[in-house]
Amino acid sequence: MADSKTILSEAEEKMDMATMYLDDALAHIRAGKADVRLLDNIRVDSYGSMVPINNVAAVSTPDARSIAIKPWDKSMFRVIEKAIIDSELGIMPENNGEIIRLGIPPLTEERRKQLAKQCKGEGETAKVSVRNARRDAIDALKKAVKDGMAEDEQKNSEAKLQKVHDKYIKQIDDMLAAKDKEIMTV
């Protein structure tokens, strides 16, 4: 028989994973500010294997509007440039022989609205995951009652579960509000 603490901790772990997923998804949405995580999904061919750019170069943000990539091997300049051009990033790299620069252009009003909508979609996905974790935990608690758990313990656990659920939903709303503000700031 599963006890209520185990069921609640498993549900909280699932909810925590949903918020971590959302945090990662929001980090990859370009908000007009330079962030090295924008390059996470871009892979380059290095000695026969596809690796992230940060495995073959030093990546930094010298200011809020640009990303600097300094390859450790001079032969990687063309490969990195081609990977960035072929990616969905939509930014043309500038190469001066020492450093590859990516200038992050300011967003148009229309693009800002698209990105805000995309963020809301990601947030809704995370909220659905949190709600599913709550539902699964409630189902497990009901099953535990049939297996001999006291009904009072089930009701108390459901109340605790609801508080945890509300905390994670508020956390998701706060993350979305912060990202929305970041996107809409000109």
Side-chain angles (χ1 to χ4, degrees), residues 5-74:
K5 282 189 172 80
T6 308
I7 293 169
L8 289 175
S9 68
E10 285 174 6
E12 189 164 4
E13 189 178 325
K14 287 178 185 172
M15 292 177 189
D16 196 41
M17 287 172 71
T19 55
M20 288 189 321
Y21 161 81
L22 178 65
D23 188 39
D24 189 51
L26 292 179
H28 289 91
I29 295 176
R30 186 163 60 107
K33 280 196 179 118
D35 188 349
V36 294
R37 292 185 290 188
L38 292 172
L39 303 174
D40 284 354
N41 296 333
I42 301 175
R43 301 277 187 252
V44 293
D45 183 13
S46 174
Y47 302 107
S49 61
M50 299 303 278
V51 296
I53 289 178
N54 61 5
N55 285 13
V56 295
V59 182
S60 63
T61 52
D63 57 66
R65 289 265 182 232
S66 64
I67 298 174
I69 304 166
K70 190 169 178 22
W72 296 312
D73 183 358
K74 296 283 185 203

Side-chain angles (χ1 to χ4, degrees), residues 6 9 45 50 53 65 82 92 94 121 138 148 152 155 170-171:
T6 308
S9 68
D45 183 13
M50 299 303 278
I53 289 178
R65 289 265 182 232
K82 184 171 178 358
M92 196 65 177
E94 302 165 22
I138 287 173
D152 287 349
K155 295 292 179 200
K170 184 182 181 332
Q171 189 177 345

Side-chain angles (χ1 to χ4, degrees), residues 33-126:
K33 280 196 179 118
D35 188 349
V36 294
R37 292 185 290 188
L38 292 172
L39 303 174
D40 284 354
N41 296 333
I42 301 175
R43 301 277 187 252
V44 293
D45 183 13
S46 174
Y47 302 107
S49 61
M50 299 303 278
V51 296
I53 289 178
N54 61 5
N55 285 13
V56 295
V59 182
S60 63
T61 52
D63 57 66
R65 289 265 182 232
S66 64
I67 298 174
I69 304 166
K70 190 169 178 22
W72 296 312
D73 183 358
K74 296 283 185 203
S75 66
M76 292 303 293
F77 273 99
R78 290 271 171 252
V79 178
I80 292 172
E81 272 189 315
K82 184 171 178 358
I84 292 170
I85 292 168
D86 293 345
S87 74
E88 296 173 3
L89 200 56
I91 300 173
M92 196 65 177
E94 302 165 22
N95 178 356
N96 67 4
E98 295 275 319
I99 291 177
I100 299 171
R101 276 197 193 286
L102 298 177
I104 309 295
L107 299 170
T108 64
E109 188 63 32
E110 185 179 319
R111 183 71 177 132
R112 287 178 196 279
K113 288 178 181 168
Q114 281 178 336
L115 291 174
K117 193 174 182 182
Q118 184 182 349
C119 289
K120 282 185 179 66
E122 293 289 354
E124 201 49 50
T125 302

Side-chain angles (χ1 to χ4, degrees), residues 98-184:
E98 295 275 319
I99 291 177
I100 299 171
R101 276 197 193 286
L102 298 177
I104 309 295
L107 299 170
T108 64
E109 188 63 32
E110 185 179 319
R111 183 71 177 132
R112 287 178 196 279
K113 288 178 181 168
Q114 281 178 336
L115 291 174
K117 193 174 182 182
Q118 184 182 349
C119 289
K120 282 185 179 66
E122 293 289 354
E124 201 49 50
T125 302
K127 285 181 181 181
V128 166
S129 296
V130 168
R131 291 182 192 123
N132 286 344
R134 177 186 61 179
R135 186 198 61 225
D136 293 345
I138 287 173
D139 291 347
L141 286 169
K142 286 179 180 170
K143 187 175 181 289
V145 167
K146 289 178 184 168
D147 293 343
M149 180 191 285
E151 283 187 31
D152 287 349
E153 187 178 345
Q154 177 212 2
K155 295 292 179 200
N156 291 340
S157 296
E158 280 186 24
K160 286 178 191 169
L161 183 64
Q162 187 61 42
K163 284 181 182 160
V164 170
H165 166 269
D166 293 345
K167 178 183 90 172
Y168 279 101
I169 293 292
K170 184 182 181 332
Q171 189 177 345
I172 289 170
D173 286 337
D174 292 347
M175 290 165 74
L176 287 173
K179 188 66 176 185
D180 202 49
K181 184 176 181 234
E182 183 184 331
I183 289 171
M184 291 304 175

